[in-house]
């Protein structure tokens, strides 16, 4: 149990320092831009946008909040991201981390 | 919903102005300087639970960051009666009194400006935002063209202006290179030839792409292009038959030279050029020369735009063939590539001074792909010009629709010095889908070495093929493409890593 907890703590620290590095260097924004481009290219954005429009129409513009919309579309949005895109991003992050000697 | 925010935000702006939003946006959303990014990286944590996770918001009234997911910003807003908070990812303002994000023209304007300079500062192009002129144009031309799966937009014949099929087939291949098309149709070229843009080949390509994708079905007459090629590449001028491969290289070279200026790099260093041509077509070829005496390897890497592959029996045809097996004529593209990347014994007549043992020694040389280009052009050397005779090799060389370049990469180099460790192999196999290519254009030569005609096949959408024969465009099957002779083969990388 202690081991597991220790590992969780280490993982969390690692995540925090990776995230810090990504922000510091501006890499996070570059990755975001890449992801944005890929999601547009593969039609993800158009599909999700159409779905959002449906949801808004269904509930009525005056009765829906961003939170409602986010809750409604998140599961579908996540499921629709193509594996290729995830893979490419993972590879990109790996490459970036490998270049960071002081991690 | 409106763009004038809500009454709570209006009251806040009347009392405090937009300064706090401006500061938050500049330092924590679009962090402009390295210093600001460092600060952002260190201080963007929830003040209550210390996590950096999703949807961190900053209070607009006081210095407090809280996460939305665990309700910390909501609790803060309720206890302090601070109704407005800024989302630290997108910069949107949330009003707790209204219970939703609100949109305010003035704040969106600040965010837009900051976002733009931020993108510039880390070298991103960002999204296209239409200028006033472009908005006006869009309003004046309300008809939008939608590309459906069976649309033929992009297909256009080219009139032959007198033995100019060598040019037409390359133009067809270039106009159907996906990344090049994206570049030109999104109007990215910034002409450097002030006052003489009619002499710029890149500008002419821009016009050509407009012509191709305009939806017009009559053949295009590429006289301006031909004239430009004649003035810039004198060796191709005149109405004689020319080699399509020679034209391809001349065209890439001219485009590359005319792009210059907007890449911000010195012309003396072409290897690190980032013009669109180099971004798409340039790969790196690694050459390893191994000294037979001391096994010292000296490595050089050279840029390339295309790969010329030998088809005939290897010249000399003696000892080195028995050394490396299979000296026969290659019978497929894969075999051509294997032959291209296998170690080659530089005979006793070509001794090289070894950098380590400082003596002239026999050596072996091996070429491998260090960096793969986005578009790989393979040139099958069908025209043989040996001493005394010229002939065309018309052997059928099968080529695949999908090509994996992993075996020809420097990282998979089989090596008798034993540096190919398991780690290298594993890395190579896990990334193998990174090195896959799809065929998208094939140039064919019909006829003999003295006279002939060029046609080509191009891919439209994902899997539709068309045959281009000057002004004639006909539908073709993948089968007929793969069974054609093949002179120039154009492959596009399936997965693009971004720079």
């Amino acid at each position: 149990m202690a081991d597991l907890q220790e590992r969780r703590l280490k993982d969390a620290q690692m995540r925090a320092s990776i995230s810090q590095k990504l922000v510091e260097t501006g890499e996070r924004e570059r990755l975001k831009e890449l992801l944005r481009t890929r999601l547009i290219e593969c039609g993800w954005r158009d599909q999700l946008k159409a779905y959002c429009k449906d949801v808004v129409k269904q509930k009525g513009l005056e009765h829906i909040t961003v939170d409602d919309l986010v809750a409604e579309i998140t599961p579908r949005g996540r499921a629709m991201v193509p594996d290729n895109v995830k893979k490419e991003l993972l590879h990109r992050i790996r490459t970036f981390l490998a270049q960071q000697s002081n991690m | 919903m409106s763009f004038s925010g809500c009454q709570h935000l209006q009251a806040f702006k009347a009392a405090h102005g937009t300064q706090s939003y401006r500061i938050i946006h500049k330092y924590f959303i679009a962090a402009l300087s390295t210093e600001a990014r460092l600060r952002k990286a260190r201080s963007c944590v929830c003040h209550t639970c210390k996590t950096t996770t999703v949807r961190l918001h900053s209070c607009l009234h006081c210095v407090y960051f809280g996460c939305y997911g665990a309700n910390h910003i909501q609790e803060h807003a309720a206890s302090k009666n601070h109704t407005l908070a800024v989302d630290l990812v997108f910069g949107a303002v949330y009003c707790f009194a209204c219970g939703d994000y609100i949109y305010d023209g003035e704040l969106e304007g600040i965010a837009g400006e900051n976002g733009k300079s931020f993108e510039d500062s880390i070298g991103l192009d960002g999204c296209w935002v239409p200028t006033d002129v472009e908005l006006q144009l869009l309003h004046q031309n309300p008809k939008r063209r939608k590309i459906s799966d069976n649309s033929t937009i992009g297909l256009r014949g080219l009139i032959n202006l007198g033995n100019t099929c060598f040019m037409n087939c390359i133009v067809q291949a270039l106009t159907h290179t996906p990344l090049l098309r994206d570049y030109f149709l999104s109007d990215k070229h910034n002409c450097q030839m002030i006052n003489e843009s009619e002499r710029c080949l890149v500008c002419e390509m821009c016009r050509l792409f407009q012509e191709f994708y305009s939806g017009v079905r009559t053949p295009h007459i590429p006289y301006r292009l031909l004239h430009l090629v004649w003035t810039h590449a004198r060796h191709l001028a005149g109405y004689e038959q020319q080699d399509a491969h020679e034209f391809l290289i001349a065209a890439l070279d001219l485009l590359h030279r005319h792009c210059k200026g907007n890449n911000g790099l010195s012309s003396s260093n072409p290897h690190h050029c980032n013009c669109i041509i180099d971004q798409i077509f340039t790969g790196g070829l690694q050459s390893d020369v191994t000294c037979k005496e001391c096994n010292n390897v000296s490595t050089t890497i050279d840029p390339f735009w295309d790969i010329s592959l030998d088809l005939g029996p290897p010249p000399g045809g003696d000892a080195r063939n028995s050394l490396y097996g299979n000296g026969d004529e290659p019978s497929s593209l894969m075999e051509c590539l294997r032959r291209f990347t296998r170690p080659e014994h530089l005979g006793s007549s070509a001794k090289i001074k070894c950098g380590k043992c400082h003596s002239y020694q026999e050596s072996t040389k091996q070429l491998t792909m260090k960096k793969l280009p986005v578009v790989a052009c393979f040139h099958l050397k069908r025209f043989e010009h040996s001493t005394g005779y010229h002939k065309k090799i018309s052997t059928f060389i099968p080529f695949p629709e999908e090509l994996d370049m992993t075996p020809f990469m420097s990282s998979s180099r089989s090596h008798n010095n034993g540096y190919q460790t398991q780690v290298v192999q594993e890395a190579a196999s896990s990334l193998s889908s990174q090195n896959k290519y799809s065929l998208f254009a094939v140039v064919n030569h019909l006829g003999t070495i003295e006279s002939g005609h060029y046609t080509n096949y191009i891919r439209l959408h994902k899997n539709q093929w068309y045959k281009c024969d000057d002004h004639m465009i006909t539908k073709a099957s993948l089968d007929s493409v793969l069974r054609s002779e093949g002179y120039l083969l154009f492959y596009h990388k399936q997965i693009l890593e971004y720079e």
Side-chain angles (χ1 to χ4, degrees), chain A residues 20 23-27 29-34 36 38 62 64-67 70 88 91-92, chain B residues 1 37-38 40-42 55 68 89 94 99-101 103 118 122 124 126 431 434 496-498:
Chain A
Q20 216 171 47
V23 174
E24 276 173 21
T25 51
E27 182 72 6
E29 297 303 315
R30 285 188 206 101
L31 289 169
K32 256 165 67 182
E33 190 54 39
L34 171 75
R36 204 191 325 268
R38 290 290 177 267
E62 299 309 319
I64 193 163
T65 66
V66 174
D67 279 347
V70 168
E88 184 184 6
H91 176 238
R92 189 54 229 181
Chain B
M1 195 190 84
R37 273 199 287 277
L38 276 172
K40 177 182 173 177
R42 259 183 275 124
R55 299 187 68 190
Y68 193 92
V89 177
Y94 194 93
D100 200 0
Y101 289 94
Y103 304 92
F118 172 68
I122 60 167
L124 281 178
L431 293 175
Q434 299 280 328
L496 305 180
E497 294 136 48
Y498 90 128

Side-chain angles (χ1 to χ4, degrees), chain A residues 29-84:
Chain A
E29 297 303 315
R30 285 188 206 101
L31 289 169
K32 256 165 67 182
E33 190 54 39
L34 171 75
L35 180 61
R36 204 191 325 268
T37 314
R38 290 290 177 267
L39 291 179
I40 293 172
E41 280 169 0
C42 72
W44 181 90
R45 186 168 134 149
D46 287 340
Q47 273 173 282
L48 209 64
K49 201 167 164 181
Y51 181 52
C52 286
K53 279 186 179 165
D54 286 348
V55 174
V56 173
K57 259 185 216 152
Q58 223 173 53
K59 303 214 167 172
L61 183 58
E62 299 309 319
H63 308 291
I64 193 163
T65 66
V66 174
D67 279 347
D68 297 340
L69 196 58
V70 168
E72 186 83 31
I73 66 166
T74 302
R76 188 183 288 211
R78 278 190 204 281
M80 271 166 37
V81 179
D83 281 349
N84 281 347

Side-chain angles (χ1 to χ4, degrees), chain A residues 41, chain B residues 177-188 209:
Chain A
E41 280 169 0
Chain B
T177 302
L179 277 185
L180 210 55
R181 176 199 63 204
D182 293 354
Y183 175 84
F184 281 109
L185 291 185
S186 55
D187 197 21
K188 294 266 174 74
F209 269 93

Side-chain angles (χ1 to χ4, degrees), chain B residues 25-260:
Chain B
H25 200 284
K26 197 165 157 185
Y27 282 92
F28 299 109
I29 297 162
L32 276 184
S33 60
T34 319
E35 190 203 342
R37 273 199 287 277
L38 276 172
R39 197 193 311 239
K40 177 182 173 177
R42 259 183 275 124
S43 51
C44 275
V45 289
C46 174
H47 287 190
T48 303
C49 66
K50 308 292 173 215
T51 55
T52 55
T53 47
V54 284
R55 299 187 68 190
L56 200 62
H57 285 60
S58 163
C59 180
L60 201 52
H61 305 258
C62 71
V63 182
Y64 175 82
F65 290 172
C67 54
Y68 193 92
N71 275 328
H72 293 133
I73 189 72
Q74 292 90 327
E75 285 162 15
H76 170 84
S79 64
K80 296 272 168 79
N81 203 19
H82 290 169
T83 45
L84 299 164
V86 185
D87 174 289
L88 285 179
V89 177
F90 302 102
V93 178
Y94 194 93
C95 173
F96 289 96
C98 298
D100 200 0
Y101 289 94
I102 48 173
Y103 304 92
D104 179 82
E106 192 180 359
L107 298 189
E108 304 256 312
I110 296 170
E113 264 169 51
N114 274 353
K116 187 81 198 71
S117 20
F118 172 68
E119 278 161 4
D120 291 345
S121 79
I122 60 167
L124 281 178
D125 278 341
C127 303
W128 171 70
V129 182
T131 62
D132 290 345
V133 180
E134 285 163 338
L135 274 176
Q136 212 181 339
L137 277 172
L138 283 168
H139 283 306
Q140 283 165 2
N141 302 281
K143 201 174 159 231
R144 303 282 173 266
R145 185 164 282 134
K146 194 164 182 285
I147 310 272
S148 57
D149 285 347
N150 50 13
S151 150
T152 52
I153 283 181
L155 290 178
R156 210 165 166 193
L158 288 165
I159 297 282
N160 191 322
L161 299 168
N163 286 329
T164 56
C165 52
F166 71 92
M167 176 178 87
N168 289 353
C169 66
I170 296 301
V171 168
Q172 292 286 2
L174 291 180
T175 44
H176 291 92
T177 302
L179 277 185
L180 210 55
R181 176 199 63 204
D182 293 354
Y183 175 84
F184 281 109
L185 291 185
S186 55
D187 197 21
K188 294 266 174 74
H189 172 57
N190 215 334
C191 189
Q192 298 303 309
M193 296 191 176
I194 302 143
N195 297 331
E196 17 169 49
S197 65
E198 66 278 2
R199 278 177 50 80
C200 173
L201 192 65
V202 192
C203 287
E204 181 52 31
M205 279 302 276
C206 269
R207 284 189 285 267
L208 208 60
F209 269 93
Q210 295 287 340
E211 288 290 346
F212 263 81
Y213 290 87
S214 65
V216 177
R217 301 173 74 100
T218 51
H220 176 66
I221 309 170
Y223 68 94
R224 291 175 66 140
L225 178 72
L226 185 67
H227 178 247
L228 271 179
V229 171
W230 283 7
T231 41
H232 289 298
R234 297 232 167 255
H235 62 290
L236 294 173
Y239 289 106
E240 317 225 317
Q241 295 194 3
Q242 301 286 351
D243 179 20
H245 174 248
E246 205 175 323
F247 178 77
L248 170 69
I249 297 306
L252 290 182
D253 180 53
L254 279 175
L255 288 170
H256 157 77
R257 280 195 274 139
H258 291 184
C259 275
K260 247 181 215 156

